[in-house]
Amino acid sequence: MGGVCTGDETELARMGYKQELKRDLTLMQNFGVSFSIISILTGIPPMFFFGLTTGGPAVMVWGFIVVAFFTMLIGLAMAEICSAHPTSGGPYYWAAMISKPQGAPFASWVTGWFNLLGQIAVTTGIGFSCADFISTAATITSNYEPNAPKTIGIYAAVLFAQGMINTFGVHIRKYMNTVSVWWHVFGTTSIIVSILAAAPKLQSGKFVFRTFIDSTGVDGIGWSQRASPAYVAVIGILMAQYTLLGFDASAHMTEETHNAAMSGPIGIVMSISVSAILGWFLILGLLFAIQDYETTVKSPTGQPVTQIFLDTVGEKGGIVLMVIIIGAMLFCGAFSITSNSRMMYAFSRDGAIPGSKFLNKVDHRWRSPIRAVWLVCALSFILGLPSFGSSVAFSAATSIATIGLYTSYGLPIALRVIYADRFVRGPFHLGKLSYPISIAAVLWIAFISVAFCLPELNPVSTKTLNYAPVAVGIVLTYALGYWTLSARRWFTGPIKQIAEKDKSIDSADSAEPVVMSEKTDFLVM
């Protein structure tokens, strides 16, 4: 850049990092990445069967509102921290900066591994859903018969295409971002309007808002009988919580965003807000358009949402609506790999991942961490293989993603509460509401982390076991074991690429003014 530095680069240098990634995203494009990864069209349709059978319409409708409220609290707490530390490391970097020096490496290490687990599981769930919906769409007007090997091939092709976009498509990413946002907004609206307008009949308000259904019993005895309806409602909110996931992408993209200390936080809050509103109306539209509950749940297509399309708009219309969903999933997966690879790049930049010297390279031509991109694709493919042919394995993958990411969100928020005196706020802050919002966010994360480890089907057997706690336990054991045996001796937390003496930059040479946090306050009251 010819020695000329922007305010964002000055801020990044203050945190000890060089500007290596291409910084060309605006606030709306930063929002678009998180909005596209949350992707209500990727979260709700694949989980619709789970919602219909685990609590039914009442839990889906009211549970989504409850989850959206607490997710917004989490987002606000994260946005405040992101504003203070706008770097692609996201939560794991925040944990190090907020902790006391002696505990910073360990806090950063644990947070980073949970975030990495969640990111890979999210990419897996997105790719799996996309492959499954492509297979389902292919059966509508043809004799195509999907099976596990065919769907695995589609899954591999989806990940490969998204990996290629993240390898060679960095220069068109911001345009894809804009297309993705409008695709989701108009696509969701089109689906809702189409199925409601074409439905031969609409379900009653009583069915949509008050009907509780428990089909969690393999032998007919569900958890509402063995335990209580509250148990079913608690595990039933997984659909909503999994849908409203991935907004940390705005933080991971801050090193590629202009005015990052404000754009990143606003991107987080906006993506949750818009997704929550559109998601709730999508759930209502799908529930009102159900023609027959039993036919929908036991659809020969394997997807209740596809059956709703066929029952309302017919085969040709159904294909169009399926294409809208598949397109959203392709956008979502591509941006998920973008976010995931940035986190892996940042974590390897600090030496926390085996093979860090190989992974922490940014391609100078494409300005993208290409090696991290393809490792993400490979790990996601491997993690997704057990899910084919097993709805239990898929719901476990969604639980893993939810627990992993939300735990990584919760740890720096908890540290912000514990070490409140150490926290130096950025331009986006919550004022007097900061402390209570942060506490509520941490408590909700602790609650769902336990809830989503509980068995989903009754009775519990090797075929119905929720494997989420097993996967989370393996990663936690690895992270803690590796830390105890080796990493505690050499991992010191985020590594500074720029020495203290090199951080000062003559503001007179800056291409744009340096915006300091104390000069631009955004107070949420």
Side-chain angles (χ1 to χ4, degrees), residues 265-280:
I266 295 175
I268 291 173
V269 176
M270 282 181 59
S271 63
I272 297 172
S273 303
V274 178
S275 297
I277 295 170
L278 282 177
W280 195 65

Side-chain angles (χ1 to χ4, degrees), residues 344-358:
M344 184 175 285
Y345 155 74
F347 209 29
S348 62
R349 180 173 61 183
D350 295 329
I353 300 176
S356 289
K357 291 184 179 179
F358 176 80

Side-chain angles (χ1 to χ4, degrees), residues 178-200:
T178 302
V179 172
S180 176
V181 170
W182 291 112
W183 185 283
H184 278 81
V185 172
F186 284 113
T188 302
T189 304
S190 298
I191 290 173
I192 296 171
V193 173
S194 298
I195 60 178
L196 292 179

Side-chain angles (χ1 to χ4, degrees), residues 130 180 183-184 322-332:
C130 187
S180 176
W183 185 283
H184 278 81
M322 287 291 284
V323 168
I324 291 175
I325 291 178
I326 292 168
M329 291 176 172
L330 289 171
F331 281 120
C332 177

Side-chain angles (χ1 to χ4, degrees), residues 222 249 505:
I505 300 176

